[in-house]
PDB file of all heavy atoms in Angstrom:
ATOM      1  N   MET A 480       0.844  -1.202   0.001  1.00  0.00           N
ATOM      2  CA  MET A 480      -0.001   0.000  -0.001  1.00  0.00           C
ATOM      3  C   MET A 480       0.878   1.252   0.001  1.00  0.00           C
ATOM      4  O   MET A 480       1.923   1.270   0.669  1.00  0.00           O
ATOM      5  CB  MET A 480      -0.874  -0.006   1.264  1.00  0.00           C
ATOM      6  CG  MET A 480      -2.058   0.916   1.163  1.00  0.00           C
ATOM      7  SD  MET A 480      -3.156   0.681   2.588  1.00  0.00           S
ATOM      8  CE  MET A 480      -4.336   1.963   2.287  1.00  0.00           C
ATOM      9  N   GLN A 489      -7.819  11.467   7.591  1.00  0.00           N
ATOM     10  CA  GLN A 489      -9.171  11.517   8.185  1.00  0.00           C
ATOM     11  C   GLN A 489     -10.170  10.821   7.260  1.00  0.00           C
ATOM     12  O   GLN A 489     -11.056  10.102   7.726  1.00  0.00           O
ATOM     13  CB  GLN A 489      -9.600  12.969   8.422  1.00  0.00           C
ATOM     14  CG  GLN A 489      -8.869  13.599   9.593  1.00  0.00           C
ATOM     15  CD  GLN A 489      -9.464  14.936  10.014  1.00  0.00           C
ATOM     16  OE1 GLN A 489     -10.399  15.444   9.397  1.00  0.00           O
ATOM     17  NE2 GLN A 489      -8.909  15.511  11.068  1.00  0.00           N
ATOM     18  N   THR A 496     -14.327   3.416   9.023  1.00  0.00           N
ATOM     19  CA  THR A 496     -15.315   3.361  10.125  1.00  0.00           C
ATOM     20  C   THR A 496     -16.694   3.080   9.539  1.00  0.00           C
ATOM     21  O   THR A 496     -17.427   2.215  10.035  1.00  0.00           O
ATOM     22  CB  THR A 496     -15.338   4.695  10.904  1.00  0.00           C
ATOM     23  OG1 THR A 496     -14.012   5.000  11.315  1.00  0.00           O
ATOM     24  CG2 THR A 496     -16.232   4.614  12.129  1.00  0.00           C
ATOM     25  N   ALA A 519     -14.150  12.924  29.474  1.00  0.00           N
ATOM     26  CA  ALA A 519     -13.762  11.810  28.594  1.00  0.00           C
ATOM     27  C   ALA A 519     -13.443  12.343  27.199  1.00  0.00           C
ATOM     28  O   ALA A 519     -12.412  12.021  26.603  1.00  0.00           O
ATOM     29  CB  ALA A 519     -14.867  10.762  28.538  1.00  0.00           C
ATOM     30  N   ALA A 521     -12.824  15.423  26.399  1.00  0.00           N
ATOM     31  CA  ALA A 521     -11.798  16.478  26.416  1.00  0.00           C
ATOM     32  C   ALA A 521     -10.444  15.957  26.911  1.00  0.00           C
ATOM     33  O   ALA A 521      -9.483  16.730  26.998  1.00  0.00           O
ATOM     34  CB  ALA A 521     -12.273  17.631  27.296  1.00  0.00           C
ATOM     35  N   PRO A 531       0.415  15.140  26.570  1.00  0.00           N
ATOM     36  CA  PRO A 531      -0.841  15.143  25.809  1.00  0.00           C
ATOM     37  C   PRO A 531      -0.602  14.893  24.319  1.00  0.00           C
ATOM     38  O   PRO A 531       0.446  15.263  23.778  1.00  0.00           O
ATOM     39  CB  PRO A 531      -1.402  16.548  26.032  1.00  0.00           C
ATOM     40  CG  PRO A 531      -0.497  17.257  26.958  1.00  0.00           C
ATOM     41  CD  PRO A 531       0.670  16.396  27.262  1.00  0.00           C
ATOM     42  N   GLY A 551     -27.416  11.739  24.544  1.00  0.00           N
ATOM     43  CA  GLY A 551     -28.374  12.748  24.987  1.00  0.00           C
ATOM     44  C   GLY A 551     -28.109  13.327  26.370  1.00  0.00           C
ATOM     45  O   GLY A 551     -28.845  14.200  26.817  1.00  0.00           O
ATOM     46  N   VAL A 560     -15.098  22.457  33.722  1.00  0.00           N
ATOM     47  CA  VAL A 560     -15.676  23.579  32.980  1.00  0.00           C
ATOM     48  C   VAL A 560     -15.466  24.940  33.657  1.00  0.00           C
ATOM     49  O   VAL A 560     -15.570  25.968  33.009  1.00  0.00           O
ATOM     50  CB  VAL A 560     -17.191  23.343  32.733  1.00  0.00           C
ATOM     51  CG1 VAL A 560     -17.395  22.276  31.665  1.00  0.00           C
ATOM     52  CG2 VAL A 560     -17.926  22.940  34.017  1.00  0.00           C
ATOM     53  N   ALA A 569     -18.974  35.277  40.088  1.00  0.00           N
ATOM     54  CA  ALA A 569     -19.867  35.642  38.980  1.00  0.00           C
ATOM     55  C   ALA A 569     -19.442  34.933  37.695  1.00  0.00           C
ATOM     56  O   ALA A 569     -20.276  34.610  36.843  1.00  0.00           O
ATOM     57  CB  ALA A 569     -19.833  37.158  38.782  1.00  0.00           C
ATOM     58  N   VAL A 592     -23.464  15.803  37.935  1.00  0.00           N
ATOM     59  CA  VAL A 592     -22.327  16.684  38.224  1.00  0.00           C
ATOM     60  C   VAL A 592     -21.481  16.026  39.318  1.00  0.00           C
ATOM     61  O   VAL A 592     -21.997  15.286  40.148  1.00  0.00           O
ATOM     62  CB  VAL A 592     -22.802  18.071  38.707  1.00  0.00           C
ATOM     63  CG1 VAL A 592     -23.387  18.892  37.567  1.00  0.00           C
ATOM     64  CG2 VAL A 592     -23.819  17.948  39.839  1.00  0.00           C
ATOM     65  N   GLU A 595     -14.502  17.769  41.703  1.00  0.00           N
ATOM     66  CA  GLU A 595     -13.102  17.313  41.609  1.00  0.00           C
ATOM     67  C   GLU A 595     -12.449  17.557  42.970  1.00  0.00           C
ATOM     68  O   GLU A 595     -12.181  18.698  43.328  1.00  0.00           O
ATOM     69  CB  GLU A 595     -12.419  18.081  40.469  1.00  0.00           C
ATOM     70  CG  GLU A 595     -10.949  17.816  40.324  1.00  0.00           C
ATOM     71  CD  GLU A 595     -10.111  18.750  41.181  1.00  0.00           C
ATOM     72  OE1 GLU A 595     -10.077  19.963  40.913  1.00  0.00           O
ATOM     73  OE2 GLU A 595      -9.490  18.233  42.138  1.00  0.00           O
ATOM     74  N   HIS A 599      -6.514  19.081  42.306  1.00  0.00           N
ATOM     75  CA  HIS A 599      -5.888  20.329  42.773  1.00  0.00           C
ATOM     76  C   HIS A 599      -4.983  20.050  43.967  1.00  0.00           C
ATOM     77  O   HIS A 599      -5.276  19.195  44.813  1.00  0.00           O
ATOM     78  CB  HIS A 599      -6.981  21.335  43.164  1.00  0.00           C
ATOM     79  CG  HIS A 599      -6.452  22.734  43.287  1.00  0.00           C
ATOM     80  ND1 HIS A 599      -5.696  23.150  44.364  1.00  0.00           N
ATOM     81  CD2 HIS A 599      -6.547  23.795  42.453  1.00  0.00           C
ATOM     82  CE1 HIS A 599      -5.353  24.415  44.183  1.00  0.00           C
ATOM     83  NE2 HIS A 599      -5.863  24.834  43.028  1.00  0.00           N
ATOM     84  N   HIS A 629     -28.320  21.556  40.411  1.00  0.00           N
ATOM     85  CA  HIS A 629     -29.731  21.989  40.340  1.00  0.00           C
ATOM     86  C   HIS A 629     -29.936  23.006  39.229  1.00  0.00           C
ATOM     87  O   HIS A 629     -30.917  22.945  38.493  1.00  0.00           O
ATOM     88  CB  HIS A 629     -30.186  22.557  41.682  1.00  0.00           C
ATOM     89  CG  HIS A 629     -30.592  21.476  42.642  1.00  0.00           C
ATOM     90  ND1 HIS A 629     -31.737  20.739  42.481  1.00  0.00           N
ATOM     91  CD2 HIS A 629     -29.981  20.990  43.745  1.00  0.00           C
ATOM     92  CE1 HIS A 629     -31.833  19.847  43.459  1.00  0.00           C
ATOM     93  NE2 HIS A 629     -30.783  19.974  44.251  1.00  0.00           N
ATOM     94  N   ALA A 650       0.338   7.813  59.102  1.00  0.00           N
ATOM     95  CA  ALA A 650       0.218   9.280  59.142  1.00  0.00           C
ATOM     96  C   ALA A 650      -1.237   9.708  59.244  1.00  0.00           C
ATOM     97  O   ALA A 650      -1.536  10.784  59.753  1.00  0.00           O
ATOM     98  CB  ALA A 650       0.863   9.886  57.902  1.00  0.00           C
ATOM     99  N   SER A 712     -22.729   2.984  57.879  1.00  0.00           N
ATOM    100  CA  SER A 712     -21.885   3.006  59.081  1.00  0.00           C
ATOM    101  C   SER A 712     -22.477   3.835  60.216  1.00  0.00           C
ATOM    102  O   SER A 712     -21.984   3.783  61.334  1.00  0.00           O
ATOM    103  CB  SER A 712     -20.515   3.583  58.732  1.00  0.00           C
ATOM    104  OG  SER A 712     -20.677   4.959  58.366  1.00  0.00           O
ATOM    105  N   LEU A 715     -23.334   8.797  58.180  1.00  0.00           N
ATOM    106  CA  LEU A 715     -24.076   9.670  57.262  1.00  0.00           C
ATOM    107  C   LEU A 715     -25.402  10.096  57.889  1.00  0.00           C
ATOM    108  O   LEU A 715     -26.115   9.261  58.472  1.00  0.00           O
ATOM    109  CB  LEU A 715     -24.340   8.965  55.928  1.00  0.00           C
ATOM    110  CG  LEU A 715     -23.110   8.588  55.097  1.00  0.00           C
ATOM    111  CD1 LEU A 715     -23.533   7.989  53.759  1.00  0.00           C
ATOM    112  CD2 LEU A 715     -22.227   9.819  54.846  1.00  0.00           C
ATOM    113  N   THR A 716     -25.717  11.364  57.752  1.00  0.00           N
ATOM    114  CA  THR A 716     -26.995  11.834  58.304  1.00  0.00           C
ATOM    115  C   THR A 716     -28.157  11.482  57.366  1.00  0.00           C
ATOM    116  O   THR A 716     -29.294  11.429  57.794  1.00  0.00           O
ATOM    117  CB  THR A 716     -26.975  13.366  58.535  1.00  0.00           C
ATOM    118  OG1 THR A 716     -26.481  13.989  57.343  1.00  0.00           O
ATOM    119  CG2 THR A 716     -26.094  13.741  59.710  1.00  0.00           C
ATOM    120  N   ASN A 724     -22.075   4.635  42.529  1.00  0.00           N
ATOM    121  CA  ASN A 724     -21.758   4.721  41.111  1.00  0.00           C
ATOM    122  C   ASN A 724     -20.588   3.767  40.888  1.00  0.00           C
ATOM    123  O   ASN A 724     -19.438   4.193  40.850  1.00  0.00           O
ATOM    124  CB  ASN A 724     -21.340   6.145  40.716  1.00  0.00           C
ATOM    125  CG  ASN A 724     -20.826   6.202  39.273  1.00  0.00           C
ATOM    126  OD1 ASN A 724     -21.416   5.596  38.389  1.00  0.00           O
ATOM    127  ND2 ASN A 724     -19.708   6.893  39.051  1.00  0.00           N
ATOM    128  N   MET A 732     -10.135  -3.926  38.715  1.00  0.00           N
ATOM    129  CA  MET A 732      -8.788  -3.531  39.170  1.00  0.00           C
ATOM    130  C   MET A 732      -8.397  -4.210  40.477  1.00  0.00           C
ATOM    131  O   MET A 732      -7.224  -4.459  40.722  1.00  0.00           O
ATOM    132  CB  MET A 732      -8.703  -2.009  39.341  1.00  0.00           C
ATOM    133  CG  MET A 732      -8.555  -1.246  38.036  1.00  0.00           C
ATOM    134  SD  MET A 732      -8.744   0.534  38.280  1.00  0.00           S
ATOM    135  CE  MET A 732      -7.268   0.956  39.165  1.00  0.00           C
ATOM    136  N   GLY A 748     -30.130  -2.198  46.985  1.00  0.00           N
ATOM    137  CA  GLY A 748     -30.965  -1.096  46.477  1.00  0.00           C
ATOM    138  C   GLY A 748     -30.151   0.159  46.215  1.00  0.00           C
ATOM    139  O   GLY A 748     -30.667   1.273  46.250  1.00  0.00           O
ATOM    140  N   ILE A 821     -24.905  -0.605  22.793  1.00  0.00           N
ATOM    141  CA  ILE A 821     -26.293  -0.901  22.392  1.00  0.00           C
ATOM    142  C   ILE A 821     -26.391  -2.336  21.859  1.00  0.00           C
ATOM    143  O   ILE A 821     -27.331  -3.067  22.170  1.00  0.00           O
ATOM    144  CB  ILE A 821     -26.798   0.124  21.343  1.00  0.00           C
ATOM    145  CG1 ILE A 821     -26.841   1.528  21.972  1.00  0.00           C
ATOM    146  CG2 ILE A 821     -28.169  -0.270  20.811  1.00  0.00           C
ATOM    147  CD1 ILE A 821     -27.236   2.645  21.000  1.00  0.00           C
ATOM    148  N   ALA A 849     -35.415 -34.765  44.194  1.00  0.00           N
ATOM    149  CA  ALA A 849     -34.967 -35.691  45.240  1.00  0.00           C
ATOM    150  C   ALA A 849     -35.396 -35.174  46.605  1.00  0.00           C
ATOM    151  O   ALA A 849     -35.785 -34.031  46.761  1.00  0.00           O
ATOM    152  CB  ALA A 849     -33.446 -35.823  45.182  1.00  0.00           C
ATOM    153  N   GLU A 859     -25.797 -37.054  43.596  1.00  0.00           N
ATOM    154  CA  GLU A 859     -26.044 -38.007  42.506  1.00  0.00           C
ATOM    155  C   GLU A 859     -27.324 -37.628  41.748  1.00  0.00           C
ATOM    156  O   GLU A 859     -27.365 -37.685  40.526  1.00  0.00           O
ATOM    157  CB  GLU A 859     -26.165 -39.449  43.045  1.00  0.00           C
ATOM    158  CG  GLU A 859     -24.835 -40.048  43.518  1.00  0.00           C
ATOM    159  CD  GLU A 859     -23.788 -40.166  42.405  1.00  0.00           C
ATOM    160  OE1 GLU A 859     -24.163 -40.274  41.217  1.00  0.00           O
ATOM    161  OE2 GLU A 859     -22.581 -40.117  42.730  1.00  0.00           O
ATOM    162  N   ARG A 874     -23.402 -21.492  25.216  1.00  0.00           N
ATOM    163  CA  ARG A 874     -24.472 -20.801  24.481  1.00  0.00           C
ATOM    164  C   ARG A 874     -24.248 -19.279  24.496  1.00  0.00           C
ATOM    165  O   ARG A 874     -24.495 -18.591  23.513  1.00  0.00           O
ATOM    166  CB  ARG A 874     -25.822 -21.157  25.124  1.00  0.00           C
ATOM    167  CG  ARG A 874     -27.018 -20.655  24.358  1.00  0.00           C
ATOM    168  CD  ARG A 874     -27.124 -21.322  23.004  1.00  0.00           C
ATOM    169  NE  ARG A 874     -28.304 -20.909  22.277  1.00  0.00           N
ATOM    170  CZ  ARG A 874     -28.475 -21.091  20.975  1.00  0.00           C
ATOM    171  NH1 ARG A 874     -27.532 -21.689  20.254  1.00  0.00           N
ATOM    172  NH2 ARG A 874     -29.575 -20.703  20.385  1.00  0.00           N
ATOM    173  N   LEU A 875     -23.778 -18.779  25.629  1.00  0.00           N
ATOM    174  CA  LEU A 875     -23.516 -17.334  25.718  1.00  0.00           C
ATOM    175  C   LEU A 875     -22.434 -16.915  24.720  1.00  0.00           C
ATOM    176  O   LEU A 875     -22.552 -15.889  24.050  1.00  0.00           O
ATOM    177  CB  LEU A 875     -23.092 -16.956  27.140  1.00  0.00           C
ATOM    178  CG  LEU A 875     -24.231 -16.968  28.176  1.00  0.00           C
ATOM    179  CD1 LEU A 875     -23.666 -17.000  29.596  1.00  0.00           C
ATOM    180  CD2 LEU A 875     -25.138 -15.751  27.994  1.00  0.00           C
TER     181      LEU A 875
END
Side-chain angles (χ1 to χ4, degrees):
M480 198 172 175
Q489 287 191 357
T496 306
V560 287
V592 287
E595 175 272 293
H599 196 285
H629 277 289
S712 66
L715 296 184
T716 49
N724 172 43
M732 282 170 70
I821 296 176
E859 288 298 333
R874 187 65 177 164
L875 287 163

